[in-house]
């Protein structure tokens, strides 16, 4: 049923695009070509990990804004948004968000561009021919370069701002959402938009409608490059998670401990208002915070009774070893300090350096609480796991001495408000 809805919605949007192209003065062949390209680019819409999207159809929409700068171009923007939405079968919020960004971007770009383009005036065939000729001559000259760049930047600014304002991921602030989805991948977004401007200029030359086809390929390629980059990032994180699970697998009592601690630490850091880059740094460190235990004898890790001094020393060496491993992972180099100090205490009685209070990196303080909480509620060879309330009571008792009081307060609030399962 979903596929049927998707097909009907997508086909209807493409049909509207074709009608609008005919209305804008493109001939039948050009209109069919534009429908095919619009549909293909809409299908290539790419979801980004932080809630945003890359719309390859931006190139075509901006191109048509430059070729037909009138208010009705907003309708074509809306139709492209619907086609992109049905290609992903998003919820209503996705349709509204993509529709608003396309319509807003099209109106701004068309309005701005129409102020720059020469308009000889007059009526009739000769006047229209002279107008088209002078516009072509102007668009293919260096004189049109600054207005073209300004229009591209205006379009990019408006669509990314609207995307950020209508974001579905409310855990991110406006600026953070913009940076993660657009700032970090700005070259891909800008290149897509610039290709739209180049497509419009090429159409005005002898290349004509063939420019739509020729320049659709680089648009698809930049989308594919970004997808491959994101896939590589995902595979690296999956490899890190697999490495973390190899530590937990040594003892059935610690199975999945690292991933649970990483999830809890990231939730705490995000709730405390840290940027997503910091959250990712803490989460990555949390995944491998116990990797140094691979060098510790399994008998020590699973010993049911108290540890002697030598065994305790072996256990206390694991943060340093873990930090050494993490520092060699390019994706997690900034997490090494967090891993190194996640067993430090505010009273200075922790290890390995005996740091106090704010000398301890904030990420390490968050990881310390998350690690301790998960350990408390989990079974161990030497004891049964505590209940949630018992663990919270112990955290409160150690607040300010063993654990950072601010982090403890945030964890207590998360659990009391039912926001943490």
């Amino acid at each position: 049923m979903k596929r049927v809805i998707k097909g009907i919605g997508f086909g209807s949007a493409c049909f509207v695009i074709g009608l609008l192209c005919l209305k804008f003065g493109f001939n039948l062949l050009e209109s069919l070509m534009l429908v095919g390209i619009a549909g293909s680019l809409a299908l290539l819409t790419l979801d980004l990990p932080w809630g945003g999207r890359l719309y390859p159809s931006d190139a075509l929409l901006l191109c048509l804004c430059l070729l037909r700068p009138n208010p009705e171009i907003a309708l074509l923007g809306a139709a492209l948004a619907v086609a992109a939405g049905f290609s992903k079968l998003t919820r209503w919020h996705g349709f509204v968000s993509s529709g608003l960004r396309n319509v807003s971007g099209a109106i701004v770009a068309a309005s701005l561009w129409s102020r720059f383009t020469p308009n000889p005036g007059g009526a009739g065939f000769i006047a229209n021919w002279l107008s088209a000729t002078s516009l072509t001559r102007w668009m293919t000259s260096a004189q049109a370069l600054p207005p073209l760049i300004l229009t591209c930047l205006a379009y990019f600014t408006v669509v990314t701002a609207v995307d950020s304002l209508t974001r579905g991921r409310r855990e991110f602030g406006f600026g953070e959402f913009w940076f993660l989805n657009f700032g970090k991948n700005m070259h891909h977004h800008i290149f897509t938009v610039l290709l739209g401007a180049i497509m419009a200029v090429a159409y005005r030359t002898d290349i004509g409608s063939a420019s739509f086809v020729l320049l659709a390929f680089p648009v698809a390629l930049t989308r594919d490059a970004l997808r491959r980059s994101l896939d590589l990032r995902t595979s690296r994180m999956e490899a890190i998670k697999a490495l973390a699970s190899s530590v937990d697998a040594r003892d059935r009592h610690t199975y999945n401990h690292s991933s649970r601690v990483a999830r809890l630490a990231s939730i705490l850091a995000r709730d405390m208002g840290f940027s997503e880059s910091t959250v990712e740094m803490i989460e990555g460190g949390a995944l491998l915070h116990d990797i140094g235990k691979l060098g510790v004898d399994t008998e020590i890790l699973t010993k049911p009774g108290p540890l002697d001094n030598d065994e305790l020393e072996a256990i206390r060496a694991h943060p340093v070893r873990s930090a050494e491993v993490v520092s060699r992972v390019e994706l997690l180099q900034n997490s090494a300090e967090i891993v190194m100090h996640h067993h430090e205490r505010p009273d200075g009685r922790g290890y390995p350096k005996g740091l106090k209070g704010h000398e301890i990196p904030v990420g390490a303080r968050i990881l310390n609480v998350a690690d301790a909480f998960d350990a408390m509620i989990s079974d161990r060879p030497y004891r049964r796991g505590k209940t949630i309330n018992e663990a919270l009571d112990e955290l409160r008792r150690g607040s300010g001495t063993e654990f950072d009081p601010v982090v403890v307060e945030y964890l207590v609030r998360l659990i009391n408000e039912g926001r943490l399962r």
Side-chain angles (χ1 to χ4, degrees), residues 290-303:
D290 278 342
I291 192 71
K293 287 184 178 178
L294 286 175
V296 180
D297 197 317
T298 306
E299 292 182 2
I300 297 176
L301 295 175
T302 57
K303 186 175 180 179

Side-chain angles (χ1 to χ4, degrees), residues 127-362:
N128 290 337
W129 181 82
L130 288 172
S131 177
T133 303
S134 61
L135 181 58
T136 298
R137 192 178 298 117
W138 179 77
M139 277 189 69
T140 53
S141 69
Q143 189 180 2
L145 193 57
L148 278 169
I149 293 174
L150 183 60
T151 304
C152 288
L153 289 177
Y155 180 85
F156 172 77
T157 302
V158 169
V159 296
T160 58
V162 173
D163 269 340
S164 301
L165 285 170
T166 59
R167 61 194 180 280
R169 298 284 296 274
R170 287 293 164 181
E171 67 268 31
F172 300 144
F174 173 88
E176 189 176 8
F177 184 91
W178 187 94
F179 174 74
L180 288 169
N181 289 283
F182 310 113
K184 290 177 72 171
N185 305 300
M186 184 178 290
H187 53 298
H188 291 285
H189 295 278
I190 289 290
F191 185 64
T192 299
V193 170
L194 286 176
L195 280 172
I198 295 170
M199 193 185 294
V201 174
Y203 176 80
R204 286 288 180 183
T205 65
D206 293 336
I207 299 176
S209 56
S211 63
F212 298 139
V213 178
L214 292 175
L215 288 163
F217 285 106
V219 173
L221 287 175
T222 190
R223 179 263 185 197
D224 190 58
L226 179 56
R227 183 187 61 80
R228 289 176 184 274
S229 172
L230 295 173
D231 286 348
L232 180 60
R233 175 186 177 276
T234 302
S235 4
R236 284 177 176 174
M237 286 305 297
E238 290 301 322
I240 290 167
K241 289 176 181 178
L243 187 59
S245 67
S246 68
V247 183
D248 298 342
R250 299 182 69 195
D251 179 4
R252 65 183 180 86
H253 294 94
T254 60
Y255 179 74
N256 218 24
H257 166 72
S258 296
S259 60
R260 290 197 305 270
V261 170
R263 178 176 174 272
L264 176 55
S266 64
I267 291 171
L268 276 169
R270 196 173 284 121
D271 195 59
M272 292 172 72
F274 289 101
S275 67
E276 192 62 19
S277 56
T278 302
V279 172
E280 288 184 356
M281 183 171 67
I282 295 170
E283 184 178 15
L287 281 169
L288 295 183
H289 74 283
D290 278 342
I291 192 71
K293 287 184 178 178
L294 286 175
V296 180
D297 197 317
T298 306
E299 292 182 2
I300 297 176
L301 295 175
T302 57
K303 186 175 180 179
L307 303 177
D308 62 34
N309 289 336
D310 290 339
E311 292 168 338
L312 196 59
E313 202 59 38
I315 289 290
R316 289 190 168 191
H318 87 268
V320 177
R321 294 197 185 102
S322 297
E324 288 173 354
V325 173
V326 169
S327 66
R328 296 192 191 106
V329 181
E330 183 181 355
L331 198 64
L332 299 178
Q333 284 177 347
N334 294 331
S335 304
E337 192 179 42
I338 294 171
V339 174
M340 169 80 81
H341 300 295
H342 77 276
H343 279 297
E344 304 284 4
R345 293 170 40 146
D347 61 6
R349 297 174 61 186
Y351 58 91
K353 300 291 185 181
L355 301 183
K356 294 182 179 181
H358 289 284
E359 294 176 352
I360 307 168
V362 66

